[in-house]
Amino acid sequence: MPQINQLAENWYFASQLFWLALIFGAVFVVIGLGMYPKIEATVDARDRKVADDLAAAKAAHAAADTIEDQYRQQSDAARAAAQAAVQSAKDKAARDAEKRLAKVDAELAGKMAAAEADVAAARSSAMAEIESVAAEAAGDLVAKLSGVKVAAADAKQAVKAVLHG
């Protein structure tokens, strides 16, 4: 090929190679020694920042888990204390109700005994009146039917015998 043969014959080919090497070296120095370390430092700083952020996130997650566990423990303890307080209040209320019920039962028993005594007294009084009324009625009946007058004491005794038995 004539183009390649022409290059070997011309003297400016060597100068082109020189300038190519010089430009390449300058670009290498500028980029390789000037810009590359800055880029590498930026990438390393970003990697460190990402790693630090991940570590901080893991630490925050662990701290949040710890706080959540503490919250659950406190919540469980508070719930248990509340249940104990409710149970205690229920027990106290039951004891108070039992005391009031016993007091009311005692009062009612006293009133019942008094009522029974009143009923018994009224019964006795009524029986006594019934006996006297019955004795008078019996005496009047005997007097009307037979014409014989019966003594009040005899009539009372006869009515007592019939009523009591």
Side-chain angles (χ1 to χ4, degrees):
M1 292 189 156
Q3 296 92 354
I4 296 176
N5 288 337
Q6 180 184 2
L7 287 176
E9 295 171 0
N10 294 329
W11 62 271
Y12 58 90
F13 176 70
S15 73
Q16 287 179 346
L17 284 179
F18 168 77
W19 286 110
L20 175 70
L22 185 68
I23 297 286
F24 181 75
V27 168
F28 177 77
V29 168
V30 169
I31 291 177
L33 300 179
M35 292 173 66
Y36 181 73
K38 290 179 184 178
I39 293 171
E40 188 177 25
T42 302
V43 169
D44 289 343
R46 187 194 62 178
D47 288 343
R48 273 194 310 276
K49 175 77 170 143
V50 168
D52 291 345
D53 288 347
L54 286 174
K58 286 180 183 178
H61 185 68
D65 287 344
T66 303
I67 290 171
E68 182 182 8
D69 288 342
Q70 289 174 351
Y71 169 75
R72 285 186 183 166
Q73 290 173 356
Q74 289 174 350
S75 177
D76 292 344
R79 188 175 295 114
Q83 287 174 348
V86 167
Q87 188 62 37
S88 174
K90 283 182 181 179
D91 292 343
K92 185 179 181 219
R95 285 192 304 273
D96 290 345
E98 286 176 9
K99 287 178 185 177
R100 286 193 308 262
L101 186 60
K103 185 178 179 181
V104 168
D105 282 344
E107 288 176 8
L108 289 177
K111 288 180 181 180
M112 184 70 127
E116 286 175 355
D118 289 344
V119 167
R123 186 181 206 169
S124 296
S125 173
M127 287 302 279
E129 285 184 35
I130 287 175
E131 286 177 8
S132 65
V133 170
E136 274 183 41
D140 289 343
L141 270 172
V142 169
K144 282 187 183 181
L145 291 176
S146 65
V148 178
K149 190 157 185 160
V150 179
D154 290 338
K156 221 177 206 186
Q157 192 175 16
V159 168
K160 239 185 211 184
V162 170
L163 286 177
H164 295 295

